[in-house]
Each structure stands twice: as structure tokens, then as C-alpha cells.
Amino acid sequence: MNNLIQKIILFLFNRRLNKHLKADEREKRFVNYESARSVIVLFESDYLEKNSEIKQLIQSFNNDGKKVMAWGFVQKKEISTAILPDFRILHQKDADFSGMPSASFMRELSELNFDLLIDLTVNEIKPLQYLAFYANAACKVGTHNYPGMYDVVIDAQQLKDENQLKEEDTSAIQIYNHLFFYLKSIQTND
């Protein structure tokens, strides 16, 4: 039964993704770290909602003069972290059975524009994947290879296979370090 539910969730996700990609009017362009002014970071929250690595990362972005918004997800029914304008953690009650975030979150997201979206999730978390493909960002960077969803994909599994990442080091900050290397290294003519 659980396998059937997973198949239904994946079917709905793929159908919504394909429908969105057909109607997507965002202006895609590569945005390197230097030229990014506004950034949205998607992350897996730790169970206690401390997220010290993510908060350090946000501080680093702020120190570089970037406007940052961070949205995370935790697999719990209730959260203890306050919802702030630039930092929030969604939980199970903020999404339907298929993982689609509630209409209020989706409406808020649709009103925002970003230069860069950075998805630091290691695991496939449907609510964050929905946020990733519905976000208005010029350049979307992530670790999951769904056709058309991200503009730049860093394969965490390949990094593990090439021994650039150890299994236990596959964290948001490790993924960010690899993404950051590419975002800083690639130069554009814009």
C-alpha cells in the first residue's frame, strides 16, 4: 500500500512539474555568486530546528551584501521555530498528502523574485521540490536531476562515488561548498 501511495505522489509531482514547465515564463539566465543580489536557500531542517550551519551560511550571504531568504522543511507535525520574513521552516501540516505546500506559502512565493535559488537538500523532500520549481528565480541550482527543474545540477551521488564527499559528510554545508565553488568559478559576459 505504501508503495502505491509513493507512486501516486510521484505521478502527481511529475504531472505538476511538466504542466508548470510548459507554462513557465521565467527568464532563465546563469547567475554567478558575484552578480547575485537576492538568494533563496532551500534546506532540510534538523529535527531540533537549530540549523546552525544554515544560519552561518545566511550570515555569510548577508556579509557579502546579498538579500537572503531561507525556507526549510522538517518531518514533524508541529514546529517550535517562529516564522520570520526571511527564515521559515515548513512542517507536515504545511503541505498536503502529495507534498504540495499550502496555498498561502505558494501565494507568498509567487510574489517574490530572486536572482538565485540554491537547493541544499540531500534527500528528495517534496514540499521543498515544489518550492524549487515554483520559485521565481533567474537561476536555479540543486542536487536533484529533474529535467527542466534546475539550471545547474551538482550530483551529490557522483561526488560520493568520486570520493569527493564521504557518506557522512553529505550535509547541506558540504553540498553548498561544492555549489559555491562552481558559482564563484564560472564567469559570465553579462
Side-chain angles (χ1 to χ4, degrees):
M1 185 67 158
N2 194 20
N3 195 20
L4 178 62
I5 293 171
Q6 292 302 321
K7 285 182 180 181
I8 292 169
I9 290 170
L10 185 59
F11 171 79
L12 289 172
F13 179 79
N14 286 329
R15 191 172 89 191
R16 289 171 178 158
L17 175 62
N18 290 331
K19 182 178 177 183
H20 179 73
L21 290 174
K22 288 178 184 173
D24 187 17
E25 296 180 5
R26 80 179 170 99
E27 187 178 318
K28 297 178 187 180
R29 71 183 195 289
F30 180 77
V31 178
N32 65 10
Y33 184 79
E34 189 70 30
S35 62
R37 296 289 165 245
S38 59
V39 179
I40 183 168
V41 176
L42 304 178
F43 66 96
E44 297 173 61
S45 175
D46 58 49
Y47 194 77
L48 297 176
E49 303 171 33
K50 298 291 184 201
N51 302 304
S52 57
E53 289 180 336
I54 299 299
K55 290 178 181 175
Q56 290 173 356
L57 180 63
I58 292 168
Q59 187 59 47
S60 173
F61 278 122
N62 288 330
N63 291 344
D64 290 343
K66 310 212 181 295
K67 182 181 176 208
V68 183
M69 183 173 278
W71 287 25
F73 183 83
V74 65
Q75 195 69 34
K76 296 190 329 189
K77 291 184 180 178
E78 296 290 331
I79 59 169
S80 58
T81 304
I83 294 178
L84 304 172
D86 295 335
F87 187 88
R88 64 193 57 208
I89 298 175
L90 285 73
H91 55 91
Q92 291 172 326
K93 289 184 180 178
D94 292 326
D96 66 15
F97 85 96
S98 70
M100 174 70 108
S102 67
S104 62
F105 285 110
M106 297 308 290
R107 188 172 31 260
E108 181 180 354
L109 186 67
S110 72
E111 295 170 358
L112 301 168
N113 288 300
F114 303 96
D115 293 322
L116 188 59
L117 176 141
I118 300 176
D119 182 350
L120 297 177
T121 58
V122 176
N123 301 302
E124 293 190 17
I125 298 175
K126 289 298 179 234
L128 295 179
Q129 289 178 316
Y130 277 110
L131 294 176
F133 80 72
Y134 281 114
N136 295 320
C139 184
K140 297 179 180 184
V141 181
T143 58
H144 304 289
N145 195 6
Y146 282 100
M149 190 163 154
Y150 297 107
D151 305 312
V152 178
V153 177
I154 302 297
D155 188 349
Q157 185 60 46
Q158 183 179 355
L159 292 173
K160 284 185 214 173
D161 293 346
E162 294 173 355
N163 295 321
Q164 293 181 26
L165 280 181
K166 296 180 185 115
E167 189 72 35
E168 64 273 10
D169 287 341
T170 309
S171 67
I173 206 71
Q174 291 291 333
I175 291 171
Y176 172 75
N177 288 335
H178 286 278
L179 292 173
F180 188 74
F181 171 79
Y182 291 109
L183 291 174
K184 279 218 159 188
S185 298
I186 299 172
Q187 300 298 317
T188 62
N189 293 330
D190 294 349

